[in-house]
Amino acid sequence: MQSSPMRALVVDDSRSMRMILAHILGQLGYQVDQAGNGRQALEVLDRERNEISLVLVDWNMPEMNGLDFLRALRANPRYAQVTVVMVTTETQASQMIAALEAGANEYIMKPFTPEVISEKLRLLGLAA
Amino acid sequence: MTTEATAGRGLREISNENYVFLQKWVHQASGIVLDDGKKYLVDARLSPIVREEGLDSLDDLCNLLRATRGAALEGKVVDAITTNETLFFRDVAPFDALRSVVLPELLERNAATRTLRFWSAAASSGQEAYSIAMMLLDMGLSSWKIEICGTDISEQVLERARAGRYLQIEVNRGLPAKFLVRYFDRAGLDWQIKPEVRRLVRFEKRDLRDDLRGLGPYDVVFCRNVLIYFDIETKKKILAGIRGCMSPNAYLSLGAAETTFGLDERFLRRPLNGAVFYQRGE
Ligand SMILES: C[S@@+](CC[C@H](N)C(=O)[O-])C[C@H]1O[C@@H](n2cnc3c(N)ncnc32)[C@H](O)[C@@H]1O
C-alpha cells in the first residue's frame, strides 16, 4: 500500500455531479481534484504533473468535451499511465466504441449508483 | 417496530405467531433461514404480494399459505423472500483466477475431448453464467465444446436469465465496457445478450437441496452467495451434492463469505491469484 493517497480528477460541467463523484471517490480513499471541462482538466493534469492516476470525465461539456479531452490526453505520452473512465448520459454502443477507441479504459452510463463506480474501479484494479 | 415505511404502507405488522410460521414455511420451501428480528424485511418484501392478492394483511397471507397448496402463490412468496442480487463478474477475483489459472489447467487436462463444462448454481438472473461465457469467447475458445448450465430455485429469475435482456443499470454493474459493446445489442433502452453468447448457456430450475445426481460432471462450479442463507445441515447436504456433480480435480468457487471449512473436509482449499477455489481431488 502507498502511504500517500491516490489522486483522481473529476471532470464535469455540473457542479453537483462533480460533488457526487468526488464524494464517492473520497470514500474509496482518493484525494480528488475537479475541473469543469476538458480544457481545465488538461491544465490541472499539467499543473499536478504525474500525481493524478485516475480521471472520471463527462462527455458533453462546453469548451472541450470529454472525447476531445481523451484524444488530447492520449496524444501525450506523459499521460499514458492515466486511467480514464467516461461517465456520461451518452448510451449508444457507437459512442462507447468511439470512447474506447480514443483510449478510455472504462465507460459508465448515467445514472449510476455508488456501487457502479466502485465495481468498475475494481475491474480496473483501482479499488479494493 | 413502527417505522415510517410500515406506517406508510398501512399494513399491520405481522404477528409473532405468524412470523414463526413464516420462518418455518420459508425454511421448508427454500432452505433459507429467516433470522429473528427480520420482520421489516418480510414486511418490505411481502407487502406487494398482500396487495396483489387483494388481502388486508401479512397475517392473512400466512393464513392463505396455511390453507392452500397453490404453487403459484408459494413460488411468489419464495421469490420475494430470496435475495436475487447479482452482477456481472461479481468480485472480479474469481473470474481473474478462472482466466489465468483454472482455464489454462483445464485446457491441458481436457485437450483430448476439447470440452469444458461449467455450472452456475444459484444463477439468479444469469449474469454469472453469461460472464463465464463472455470470458471464454474472449479467450478465443469458441471452437471448444462449451456447456454452461445455470440453475436456480426461482422461475422468475430464470425467465429473466433465459431472456438475456438487461437494464442499463444492470450492464453498468461489473461488466467491462468492451464486453458490453462486443457481446450485447441495444434493445430499446435495454441490452440484449448476443446469440453467440446465449447459445453457450442453458438455464434449468433446480432446488440445490434436492438430489442433484444427473447433473454434470462439471469442470468448474460457481455456487456463490447462496450458502450463507442456509443452516449448517443444509450447507453440508448441498456441498456434498455439488461435489457429486464435479469431475475429478474440478474447481468450486464460493461467495466471499462462504467456505467448505467445517462443512466438507474433502475439498482442497486452493488460494489462486487473489481468489479461493475449492478443489474436488481425485
Ligand atoms: C444472491 S443470489 C446469488 C447469485 C449469483 N450466484 C451471485 O453470486 O451473484 C442467490 C440466488 O439463490 C437462489 N436460491 C435460493 N435458495 C435456493 C435453493 N434452495 N436452490 C437453488 N437456488 C436457490 C435465489 O433464488 C437467488 O437467485
Side-chain angles (χ1 to χ4, degrees):
Chain A
M1 282 258 85
Q2 314 154 262
S3 48
S4 54
M6 297 175 294
R7 293 192 49 187
L9 174 62
V10 168
V11 194
D12 200 302
D13 56 339
S14 150
R15 203 176 83 88
S16 53
M17 185 54 71
R18 289 201 301 270
M19 286 179 52
I20 292 168
L21 286 170
H23 178 75
I24 296 171
L25 288 176
Q27 296 206 313
L28 293 171
Y30 283 88
Q31 184 187 319
V32 185
D33 286 68
Q34 301 184 16
N37 63 53
R39 175 86 49 224
Q40 282 177 17
L42 289 173
E43 282 165 18
V44 174
L45 284 169
D46 197 40
R47 192 178 70 220
E48 301 298 328
R49 292 284 148 192
N50 294 328
E51 297 294 317
I52 292 172
S53 55
L54 170 67
V55 180
L56 264 49
V57 60
D58 185 21
W59 188 308
N60 295 304
M61 294 177 293
E63 261 187 82
M64 182 188 271
N65 73 28
L67 195 64
D68 290 338
F69 161 80
L70 195 52
R71 291 188 174 127
L73 186 85
R74 290 306 182 212
N76 186 342
R78 196 209 286 171
Y79 300 123
Q81 298 307 314
V82 177
T83 300
V84 181
V85 180
M86 277 270 188
V87 185
T88 167
T89 47
E90 302 299 334
T91 61
Q92 295 306 317
S94 56
Q95 292 166 309
M96 255 172 249
I97 292 168
L100 294 173
E101 281 177 352
N105 300 83
E106 262 305 334
Y107 200 102
I108 292 170
M109 294 176 273
K110 293 175 183 169
F112 55 82
T113 57
E115 300 83 67
V116 169
I117 305 287
S118 52
E119 284 155 8
K120 284 280 186 175
L121 293 184
R122 191 172 305 141
L123 269 182
L124 295 164
L126 294 176
Chain B
M1 195 172 64
T2 54
T3 63
E4 275 179 57
T6 45
R9 249 179 235 114
L11 286 185
R12 233 183 6 260
E13 190 181 76
I14 187 169
S15 72
N16 287 332
E17 187 197 340
N18 274 330
Y19 187 72
V20 172
F21 161 77
L22 212 56
Q23 283 177 311
K24 285 193 189 134
W25 188 91
V26 167
H27 186 258
Q28 207 232 314
S30 67
I32 290 168
V33 179
L34 269 182
D35 293 333
D36 296 338
K38 285 277 168 70
K39 274 192 181 181
Y40 66 92
L41 186 120
V42 164
D43 179 82
R45 299 219 172 142
L46 296 186
S47 290
I49 300 183
V50 170
R51 249 176 271 115
E52 260 174 58
E53 300 288 319
L55 301 168
D56 286 335
S57 66
L58 289 159
D59 290 321
D60 284 354
L61 180 65
C62 291
N63 289 334
L64 196 61
L65 287 172
R66 279 194 187 90
T68 55
R69 284 269 154 273
L73 180 65
E74 292 181 3
K76 263 196 211 173
V77 172
V78 170
D79 278 348
I81 289 290
T82 53
T83 301
N84 299 319
E85 154 127 355
T86 187
L87 59 139
F88 291 101
F89 296 96
R90 185 169 189 167
D91 298 336
V92 185
F95 293 91
D96 283 349
L98 182 64
R99 182 193 285 263
S100 59
V101 185
V102 174
L103 276 166
E105 191 182 313
L106 289 175
L107 294 185
E108 251 179 59
R109 194 190 298 164
N110 297 357
T113 56
R114 290 175 71 83
T115 56
L116 292 169
R117 302 183 78 193
F118 300 83
W119 180 16
S120 168
S124 189
S125 37
Q127 282 90 330
E128 183 175 275
Y130 288 129
S131 296
I132 295 171
M134 288 185 278
M135 172 181 284
L136 297 174
L137 291 177
D138 186 55
M139 292 174 73
L141 296 174
S142 56
S143 68
W144 280 57
K145 192 170 171 299
I146 292 165
E147 179 193 325
I148 303 165
C149 179
T151 63
D152 203 282
I153 194 176
S154 158
E155 193 52 55
Q156 196 168 315
V157 291
L158 287 171
E159 261 167 47
R160 296 209 52 225
R162 288 187 193 108
R165 185 175 171 136
Y166 295 96
L167 304 171
Q168 180 173 306
I169 49 166
E170 293 172 313
V171 297
N172 242 348
R173 300 196 58 190
L175 184 65
K178 65 167 188 180
F179 281 5
L180 179 62
V181 297
R182 202 181 298 160
Y183 298 120
F184 288 78
D185 290 315
R186 198 65 198 260
L189 289 176
D190 301 341
W191 296 81
Q192 174 69 48
I193 196 110
K194 286 195 170 156
E196 62 175 303
V197 188
R198 181 70 197 74
R199 75 176 176 80
L200 303 180
V201 188
R202 156 175 77 80
F203 293 98
E204 231 176 72
K205 182 168 171 167
R206 284 280 183 159
D207 185 334
L208 287 171
R209 297 169 307 156
D210 288 349
D211 191 342
L212 299 171
R213 275 175 297 185
L215 284 176
Y218 296 106
D219 300 303
V220 180
V221 180
F222 274 52
C223 182
R224 313 196 68 235
N225 305 297
V226 65
L227 285 184
I228 30 169
Y229 299 110
F230 302 127
D231 59 39
I232 290 181
E233 287 317 308
T234 310
K235 285 181 193 169
K236 284 183 177 168
K237 179 167 189 239
I238 292 176
L239 281 172
I242 289 175
R243 195 170 182 282
C245 302
M246 294 169 73
S247 13
N249 295 319
Y251 287 96
L252 167 66
S253 169
L254 299 175
E258 298 160 340
T259 177
T260 61
F261 187 72
L263 299 168
D264 193 327
E265 305 307 339
R266 292 171 299 176
F267 284 100
L268 273 56
R269 188 175 183 279
R270 295 281 312 273
L272 303 176
N273 228 358
V276 174
F277 277 72
Y278 299 89
Q279 200 172 10
R280 185 183 189 274
E282 288 299 331

